[in-house]
Amino acid sequence: MLDVVRLRVLVAIARKGSLTAAAKELHYSQPSVSHHLARLEAETGARLVQRAGRGIRLTDAGRLLAERAAEIIGRLDDTAEELAAHVGLRSGRVRLAAFPSALGTFIPKAATLLGGEHPGLRLHLTETEPPEALRLLRAGRVDVAVVFRYDDTAPEDSGIKLIHLLDDPSYLVSSAPTAGELADHAESSWIAGCDRCRSHLLDICDKAGFEPRISFTSDDIVAVQALVAAGLGLTMLPGLALRAHRHPEVEVAEVPGSTRHVYAAVYGDPPHPPATEVLLKALRESL
């Protein structure tokens, strides 16, 4: 049976890229880290790291084991927190990952509601886009992921369960009043956002009969609107983003047929741990 402490050492090495940095993160001595790594290689019968210049890198076997170990450790840590949460939700933590415009709109209210009903329950927040949020969820490093998807977004894997929170229409954002169809802007410069938003922009423009000429890319809604206000291009932004920040010098017009769907994602079927359930309740009530 593989030793969990040694798996934690391997995960730290994979994350930090060196024995010295892993030792510092784990508060171990470097000889101790080397010892655990050697024992893990003996247990598995596989070479897990190899020298690369003055540093080290994981072998294929090492990368595979490190990825699986990160998931296992995440689940073990998650279980420990669930047990703490069962004690009347008077202690413990619940972890939430969410995209920026959700954090800038309804999630602060959800955090306030959660804190009011369960003051001993600590809420840990992580800002990240949906693909990374779902990876953290699968690895057991968060309990709930607030994500968005469009109708043309590829489906999530079967272990992810989506709880619908709201529908969020998209808006064409420009520096002057904008009229007409999307196709009327085929010759304009465009500003794209995160990967998922960029893919949707390309898809909806393709349906309108053109490929957008993307001049800038940024997932910072403040920067994107500043670029638009300066006349450097058009963009599409969802309603939540405009609620979180609206530049005073931009004009907006709703784009028909372009709506993103916002979900609370959890891993596995109900019943969920009590801490997860009260967080989901707070998210629903915050809308």
Side-chain angles (χ1 to χ4, degrees), residues 15 29 40 59 68 74 97 105 125 129 174 194 203 206 213 239 257 274:
R15 184 164 53 244
S29 66
L40 187 58
T59 63
R68 297 294 181 267
T105 50
L125 295 173
E129 296 293 342
S174 65
C194 72
D203 182 76
D206 179 67
R213 179 165 54 86

Side-chain angles (χ1 to χ4, degrees), residues 12-13 15 31 34 42 47 58 62-63 65 73 85 101 121 138 150 154 175 178 191 193 196 206 214 233 237 253 267:
I13 293 171
R15 184 164 53 244
S34 298
R47 187 180 181 186
L58 269 62
R63 283 192 295 272
L65 183 57
I73 290 167
S101 58
L121 189 63
R138 283 191 292 268
Y150 295 95
S175 59
T178 302
I191 302 166
R196 187 164 286 194
D206 179 67
I214 296 174
L237 288 176
Y267 195 86

